[in-house]
Amino acid sequence: EVQLMESGGGSVQAGGSLRLSCTASGFTFDDHDMGWFRQGADSKCELVAFVRGDGQSLIHSIVGRFTASRGDAKNTVYLQMNNLKPEDSSVYVCAAAPFQYYADFEWRNCAVPEAKWGQGTQVTVSS
């Protein structure tokens, strides 16, 4: 069974940092690109960062304070979030798609319909 389990969310004050984790099971992790999404203020899906199966990462231009990375624990992708702002408050969801199955612009536009999705973890930033 394919599973993506996010953790590390919580409440933090503006200017603080959080590190989210997404642990994958049920598929070959190294053969997949991994992305982090959130719901923006207008309820629109936003890509915040993703990292390809070969380790190359894309920092979304809207949220340059966030970085996705793979490593440390097995089958885990991280989202390091620095200098958090109240407008970063959202549910953060990780997703997986086969390596290079989607182009960069498709990830940026949340156009990854065949990706596997987690349930999400809530991040709340207070001013």
Side-chain angles (χ1 to χ4, degrees), residues 51-94:
V51 56
R52 293 219 179 263
D54 61 2
Q56 293 185 19
S57 64
L58 171 69
I59 301 174
H60 197 280
S61 60
I62 292 178
V63 193
R65 297 170 283 111
F66 296 0
T67 304
S69 64
R70 311 167 76 111
D72 295 355
K74 186 178 179 181
N75 293 353
T76 300
V77 62
Y78 302 95
L79 180 66
Q80 179 66 45
M81 306 187 294
N82 298 324
N83 190 23
L84 283 160
K85 305 176 185 297
E87 53 264 38
D88 294 322
S89 297
S90 185
V91 176
Y92 286 74
V93 183
C94 73

Side-chain angles (χ1 to χ4, degrees), residues 4 26 33 37 42 51 60 62-63 66 71 73-74 79 89 93 99 113-114 117-118 123 126-127:
L4 294 171
D33 300 332
F37 294 89
D42 56 357
V51 56
H60 197 280
I62 292 178
V63 193
F66 296 0
K74 186 178 179 181
L79 180 66
S89 297
V93 183
F99 179 59
E114 296 185 30
W117 296 86
V123 172
S126 57
S127 57

